[in-house]
Amino acid sequence: MRASFVPLVLAAWLCTPANACPSSQVNLETRDSLAYSPPVYPSPWMNAKAPGWEEAYSKAKDFVSQLTLLEKVNITTGVGWMAERCVGNVGGVPRLGLRGLCMQDGPLGIRFSDYTSAFPTGVTAGASWSRDLWLERGYKMGSEQRDKGVDVVLGPAIGALGRNAMGGRNWEGFSVDPYLMGAAGADTIRGLQKAGVVATAKHFIANEQEHFRQAPEAVGYGFNISESLSTNIDDKTLHEVYNWPFVDAVHAGVGAIMCSYQQINNSYGCQNSKLMNGVLKGELGFQGFVMADWQAQHTGAGSAVAGLDMTMPGDTVFNSGASYWGSNLTLAVLNGTVPEYRLDDMAMRIMAAYFKVGRTVEDQPDINFSSWTRDTYGYVHAAVEENWEQLNYQVDVRGDHATHIRESGAKGTVLLKNKDGALPLKEPKFLAVIGEDAGPNSQGPNGCPDRGCADGTLAMGWGSGTSEFSYLITPDNALQRQALRDDTRYESILNNYAWERTEALVSQPGAIPIVFVNAGSGEGYINVDGNRGDRKNMTLWKNGDELIKNVSSINPNTIVVMHTVGPVLVNDWYDSDNITAILWAGVPGQESGNSITDILYGRESPGRSPFTWGPSEESYGTEVLYKPNNGGGAPQQDFSEGAFIDYRHFDKVAPNKGDKGAPIYEFGFGLSWTTFEYSNLVVKPRHQKPYKPTEGKTKKAPSWGNYSPNLEEYVFPGNVRRIDQFIYPYLNTASSGKEASNDTSYGQTAEEFLPPGALDGKPQPLHPASGPNGGNSQLWDVMYEVEATITNTGKTISDEVPQLYVSLGGEGEPVRVLRGFDRLERIQPGKSVTFRADITRRDLSNWDVSKQNWVITKEPKTVWVGSSSRNLPLKAELQ
Ligand code: NOJ
């Protein structure tokens, strides 16, 4: 327990692109040392005056100042796995009318319930590049959660970012680009919280693959490792790439952040003081609470002083009945191991987030469902089968959300190829729909728990970031309905291996085949056909590539639709003349068939790719670590590529079309229904005042302690019925020794036990880059306003997504990075519209490792505007 939060060895924290970290291929036996995460203490306390949080903190103070120590501990500690109705539940304060908060997944809708909607996944929503749709999606998802009684939504996922193209959970987030991810995450948060639920930005941070994210899980698939993966990342890359979306989340006022499973520089995410204390609460001024991922906590006092505010699901290991917090936290505060102010701060942060989204204690809704059964009656405490009650009220919370889901699924579909206007379809004479991915799962849309299979059409990935379908419109279903309206002859073969029948069908005169194929991935606790969360390769599933090649070899009008969680390899067939159109339909949620039909028939405009389509697995330059590389210790995954992931990498190694390893479809690419011309780039300088680092000190740690030292008062009360396995804040006995807590470290003083500074409650110097809502507020100063004219030069109404890229200049920097975009809708033929974007100080800054601050370097800076990361007709130098 002691060693796990005190960093042991020194090295890679300061490695930079110039002074690269060792690669994951290096023989670790020969490494001098492992990457290191420096200690940062004490844990920054709340700033009750942070703009946007004042009212929430004043309400929190009124509430929390009435709480006893036991009640404070109760709201920080989960009651245990499956111990209450929600995926996560903390204890309540019955005396004051607060029931335990309910935490529920997730990023695309409600997990484990009924009469709820399955929204498009993050990556499909991301591909729409539509701020309006993100906000609307967040609001609608939030309303559903609210109406089921959920207090805290476990989403959005803004990490994994997508360092590894085959990373299992990339689809839960919006894009591999930090700027796009941040923008989509922030709007989702605004929407969710506007609906009155606390949003949780997750997973903090660098949780980029499923393999080895948890040592016990890895043991389950045959790798005996003692500790979880360490993702080793340098300070510059951390700030400029992986932390970027979290800054946006904090800036948007997110109430909760979930720390991640794996280690970062050999310190676990949920006890990493550099990241939680230093970056999140120090630099970013995060005023909400940090929640542990499920079983991601590994220490008690150590995680408390490193900045963790809520443990989930509360037990150390599911259903163990033991907790790092609960009674242990009570005792730790009483004996001074954890400072009183830290517990007060946890409670204040949790309640402030709760009040910030407009919730009240008086009107807290009842939870009207259970995650653990669909029966009307069941056990409240499912894990131990106690308290039989009505759990499910089958409340239909879907409202009119299907309309949004359909639109968002369509607008997040990317048109990658469209030869000679093959699309949109216009009352075709004869459609032949081919492939299992067009049809249903024979076990029903929820046939596989947590969607852990690949049968029928793929509308979401698998894992905790899923929901139960109330229905799933398959492409076959929707296209057939359309065909009936148009008097189109329609036949579908929903089997990838029925070649004879398929050949007989698609070779008939006039047949337009639409081949549906897919490739899935998900969370590491489910293995689908050898894909342990992360994909094992980048090819299409179930013979998909062969199916496309076979159909297109005999039919010159073949259309391909791919439902995939990310990029797949299309090299073998994309440039075939017989393939007239290619669509990436992402993972679109319950309206899948309607969404794709709206695109195929041109009723909606398509989106743009939120990642690059490379020609091979290797072309991405980064990979999942599939085998441990550090003996039985923590596998070491060095992010030695720095910022060079996805297009930043491709632009560096293969800048031109035709270069070896150049993208097939670049980041930001996607066709529309027309052609657009870009002209009149105008760049107006605005705010040019110099940047002032933040100075001064915090106030001293506020505390509402006054705890009685009498241990008798904390002992399990005789009048409470003890539920087995349930995690309580009470002590077992009043003897203040080992017995009371089972804490083996008892006997050490707090100073001996904790890192230097961990107990300090005196005023602390402010970090030079810090500010209350994501960092120094001058980072959001607008330095330039950019405008460009976009003209529809074709014959059809269509949406366009102008993109603004900036080159920050200097050695070791990416060629360019995304710094602005807009989705301009329904531009009429012949009409021009103005694209506008602001470039902020933050957009032009690099992280200076030695200054520990953002700086605008003296390097020349260029701005580009165009329709993708590689099609940038407008360019200007910034003065
Ligand atoms: C683990 C996942 O990593 C996290 O995203 C999820 O919210 C929790 N499980 C709860 O299901």
Side-chain angles (χ1 to χ4, degrees), residues 3 6-15 20-24 26-38 226-234 263-268 625 628-639:
V6 182
L8 292 174
V9 275
L10 193 71
W13 182 256
L14 293 179
C15 55
C21 304
S23 112
S24 60
V26 163
N27 175 3
L28 287 146
E29 311 285 296
T30 63
R31 287 171 65 140
D32 298 326
S33 51
L34 298 179
Y36 163 71
S37 189
S226 60
E227 303 294 337
S228 309
L229 177 80
S230 175
T231 53
N232 302 328
I233 181 167
D234 66 87
Q263 306 189 69
I264 303 98
N265 297 324
N266 291 294
S267 170
Y268 276 102
L625 184 71
N629 60 357
N630 188 25
Q636 302 288 313
Q637 186 178 42
D638 295 336
F639 288 18

Side-chain angles (χ1 to χ4, degrees), residues 375-414:
D375 296 344
T376 300
Y377 287 83
Y379 295 106
V380 177
H381 310 299
V384 290
E385 306 198 338
E386 289 244 21
N387 284 34
W388 180 263
E389 264 181 35
Q390 180 167 1
L391 298 178
N392 287 305
Y393 291 79
Q394 290 90 27
V395 179
D396 192 333
V397 294
R398 292 172 293 171
D400 61 355
H401 303 170
T403 314
H404 161 88
I405 294 169
R406 177 174 182 160
E407 180 187 348
S408 172
K411 289 182 169 168
T413 295
V414 182

Side-chain angles (χ1 to χ4, degrees), residues 41 237 528 615 637 687 727 753 826:
Y41 296 95
T237 305
V528 179
Q637 186 178 42
H687 188 102
I727 306 298
F753 182 70
R826 303 190 60 76

Side-chain angles (χ1 to χ4, degrees), residues 47 49-54 57 190 246-254 280-288 356 769-780 842:
N47 169 3
K49 297 271 173 301
W53 288 85
E54 304 95 325
Y57 265 108
R190 288 187 190 102
F246 285 95
V247 172
D248 290 312
V250 174
H251 198 63
V254 74
L280 203 49
K281 293 181 174 176
E283 277 170 55
L284 271 50
F286 173 54
Q287 301 304 327
K356 184 167 194 286
S770 70
N773 276 310
N776 190 317
S777 59
Q778 298 158 83
L779 292 168
W780 282 270
R842 180 180 176 223

Side-chain angles (χ1 to χ4, degrees), residues 433-440 456 474-477 490-498 502 516:
V433 166
I434 308 296
E436 183 183 315
D437 180 67
T474 63
D476 180 45
N477 175 318
Y490 184 89
E491 282 193 50
S492 56
I493 299 176
L494 307 176
N495 181 331
N496 291 6
Y497 302 95
T502 301
F516 282 85

Side-chain angles (χ1 to χ4, degrees), residues 397-449:
V397 294
R398 292 172 293 171
D400 61 355
H401 303 170
T403 314
H404 161 88
I405 294 169
R406 177 174 182 160
E407 180 187 348
S408 172
K411 289 182 169 168
T413 295
V414 182
L415 181 59
L416 295 168
K417 177 175 180 181
N418 192 14
K419 194 180 137 202
D420 304 329
L423 294 180
L425 298 170
K426 287 172 214 75
E427 300 183 355
K429 193 161 180 205
F430 174 17
L431 279 188
V433 166
I434 308 296
E436 183 183 315
D437 180 67
N441 178 345
S442 61
Q443 309 282 318
N446 301 311
C448 317

Side-chain angles (χ1 to χ4, degrees), residues 24 91 93 136 237 368 409 575 600 718 730:
S24 60
V93 187
E136 198 175 293
T237 305
N368 56 36
D575 56 356
L600 286 166
Y730 305 115

Side-chain angles (χ1 to χ4, degrees), residues 677-724:
E677 192 185 86
Y678 283 65
S679 60
N680 296 336
L681 180 64
V682 181
V683 180
K684 294 185 209 144
R686 279 288 173 253
H687 188 102
Q688 303 278 350
K689 286 200 204 113
Y691 176 72
K692 284 210 302 286
T694 305
E695 288 173 349
K697 281 193 166 185
T698 65
K699 297 215 164 73
K700 76 174 180 14
S703 185
W704 292 268
N706 298 329
Y707 307 129
S708 157
N710 176 10
L711 295 193
E712 290 291 347
E713 291 176 25
Y714 303 93
V715 174
F716 206 101
N719 61 351
V720 173
R721 185 169 66 95
R722 189 171 202 142
I723 310 283
D724 194 29

